Amino acid sequence: MKTRSKVLLGLLLLLLAASFWAWRYGPGWLVQFNAQQQQARTASEAEGHGFGRQSDQQGCLDRALTDFNACSGYDCTLQQDFFLKACLEEAAPSAGFCDGVPAYREQPSEDDKTWARHRCWDLDIRGEGCRLLLRQQQYWCGGGVAAE
């Protein structure tokens, strides 16, 4: 019985210490995290603009997918998304870039999801981020407007 009380007391103290840490340092951590994310976004966009000035649309997509395939995690997906958007703004048109690309919709249809999934498989790229990057292609090819 004493061992159980000690364990519960230990857990309570741990919970209190964690609560104190979150109260004391949590807001500062969030500010720092947001600043780091903004710096990473700015760097990815700058890299995308620079690459896009020397490439075409297909080159931008290929580079974003290749770089995505070499990393993992949510941050990686975000950075490649920022890169791709900026790159496409600067890139020269690519013949056939939009051929066979479904119209962009706010809520992707099952056909949209199937197209993206199979395209990622064909490229041998795994992970949800690949499909999200292909949504950028859909959006770009649709002129930045969702289909009705």
Side-chain angles (χ1 to χ4, degrees), residues 15-65:
L15 180 62
L16 286 172
S19 297
F20 176 75
W21 184 91
W23 170 77
R24 177 73 174 97
Y25 300 105
W29 173 85
L30 183 59
V31 169
Q32 182 181 10
F33 174 79
N34 286 337
Q36 290 171 341
Q37 291 299 310
Q38 185 58 43
Q39 287 175 340
R41 178 181 185 155
T42 300
S44 294
E45 288 174 340
E47 185 180 353
H49 284 294
F51 187 84
R53 285 186 206 102
Q54 302 170 18
S55 187
D56 61 10
Q57 295 165 328
Q58 189 62 52
C60 290
L61 181 61
D62 292 345
R63 166 83 183 271
L65 290 171

Side-chain angles (χ1 to χ4, degrees), residues 68-133:
F68 167 77
N69 202 34
C71 62
S72 63
Y74 182 70
D75 285 346
C76 174
T77 302
L78 279 180
Q79 300 320 312
Q80 294 312 312
D81 184 60
F82 298 140
F83 170 88
L84 182 56
K85 285 178 187 177
C87 192
L88 289 172
E89 290 173 3
E90 303 290 340
S94 294
F97 182 71
C98 294
D99 292 353
V101 176
Y104 177 84
R105 294 169 188 49
E106 290 290 328
Q107 288 291 67
S109 69
E110 287 305 313
D111 288 341
D112 296 344
K113 293 175 186 178
T114 299
W115 168 80
R117 183 172 49 251
H118 287 161
R119 182 82 178 108
C120 292
W121 287 346
D122 291 344
L123 295 168
D124 198 27
I125 300 174
R126 303 295 183 245
E128 292 298 315
C130 176
R131 291 187 242 173
L132 294 173
L133 292 172

